[in-house]
């Protein structure tokens, strides 16, 4: 889970995930969305792949990325369970309450 949160810590990588949520995109299409060098984008793609948040398919010289939403969902679920988010118990009646 640490690799997932490392990947999510960077705003560029979060934006890449947002874009991939719309549809699979090539490395070139994604890189056009950012004012950084292609090697920098490649490094971002590597971090996302290491965290298993994206999948890469290479055909010839073109790499197409797609979002692996289930991995992201699992990480967020684990995080929320760690901190008890979403597991709110029903309030207990107070001593003077007839319920």
């Amino acid at each position: 889970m640490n690799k997932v949160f490392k990947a999510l810590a960077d705003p560029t990588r979060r934006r890449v995930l947002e874009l991939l949520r719309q549809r699979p995109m090539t490395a070139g299409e994604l890189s056009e969305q950012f004012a950084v060098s292609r090697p920098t984008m490649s490094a971002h793609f590597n971090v996302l792949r290491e965290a298993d948040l994206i999948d890469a398919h290479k055909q010839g010289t073109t790499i197409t990325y797609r979002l692996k939403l289930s991995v992201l969902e699992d990480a967020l679920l684990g995080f929320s369970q760690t901190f008890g988010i979403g597991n709110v118990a029903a309030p207990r009646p107070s001593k003077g309450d007839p319920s």
Side-chain angles (χ1 to χ4, degrees):
M1 187 162 37
N2 287 338
K3 287 183 181 182
V4 171
F5 288 112
K6 175 187 173 191
L8 295 175
D10 184 271
T12 299
R13 292 191 287 267
R14 289 193 306 267
R15 180 67 182 137
V16 167
L17 295 176
E18 289 174 17
L19 292 167
L20 291 176
R21 191 167 163 235
Q22 298 170 12
R23 65 178 175 86
M25 298 177 81
T26 66
E29 289 173 318
L30 288 164
S31 295
E32 290 172 356
Q33 305 293 317
F34 302 92
V36 297
S37 69
R38 287 188 184 253
T40 298
M41 286 306 298
S42 182
H44 285 302
F45 298 147
N46 285 335
V47 171
L48 291 168
R49 276 200 323 259
E50 286 178 18
D52 205 28
L53 292 171
I54 62 173
D55 187 36
H57 174 72
K58 187 172 183 176
Q59 186 170 3
T61 58
T62 303
I63 301 174
T64 302
Y65 293 102
R66 70 173 181 85
L67 179 63
K68 294 176 77 173
L69 193 55
S70 62
V71 174
L72 182 58
E73 289 172 338
D74 288 346
L76 293 175
L77 179 62
F79 181 75
S80 67
Q81 289 174 343
T82 298
F83 292 98
I85 299 168
N87 295 333
V88 180
R92 294 182 183 187
S94 62
K95 288 186 176 185
D97 192 350
S99 329

